[in-house]
Amino acid sequence: LLLLCHAEETAVVVSGLRNTDVFVGESATFTCELSHPGVRNVQWWLDGTPLHNNLVTEISERDGRIHTLTLNDVACHDSGTVTFRAGSLISTAKLLVKGISL
């Protein structure tokens, strides 16, 4: 338990989320890399709403450090602020979903 708490305190965001622009119907992927694995209480949000793994929202983790969120088949109303939170660490980025003009 002591090790986990220590790891969480010393972990930092190595590479944060980046603003992403996509068209309606496309996928948007956000990645956040942490310096250490073992950070608990990882959560993704879109405009303050918690996101969960399902058909349109894919949440994955690699090596305990690289956290990825993919939003599939996005719509205009998905535009907003994506937030990644791991313990006390936070990274945010804007998602802009553009309509296709005919």
Side-chain angles (χ1 to χ4, degrees):
L1 184 62
L2 193 59
L3 286 174
L4 277 176
C5 289
H6 183 68
E8 189 166 325
E9 287 172 17
T10 57
V12 295
V13 175
V14 176
S15 174
L17 305 183
R18 291 195 172 91
N19 292 345
T20 303
D21 293 7
V22 294
F23 287 104
V24 168
E26 292 182 340
S27 295
T29 300
F30 295 87
T31 301
C32 190
E33 182 179 348
L34 304 179
S35 59
H36 300 302
V39 179
R40 296 186 295 173
N41 300 326
V42 171
Q43 179 68 61
W44 290 91
W45 308 76
L46 178 57
D47 272 350
T49 302
L51 299 174
H52 303 284
N53 224 352
N54 55 41
L55 289 172
V56 293
T57 306
E58 295 175 33
I59 298 172
S60 64
E61 177 185 306
R62 197 170 79 236
D63 302 330
R65 297 186 316 112
I66 300 171
H67 299 267
T68 304
L69 166 70
T70 301
L71 301 171
N72 294 309
D73 195 22
V74 295
C76 286
H77 67 261
D78 291 320
S79 291
T81 302
V82 173
T83 303
F84 170 80
R85 189 170 196 159
S88 60
L89 303 173
I90 297 177
S91 182
T92 61
K94 295 283 188 196
L95 169 62
L96 176 62
V97 181
K98 299 180 282 194
I100 300 170
S101 54
L102 301 173

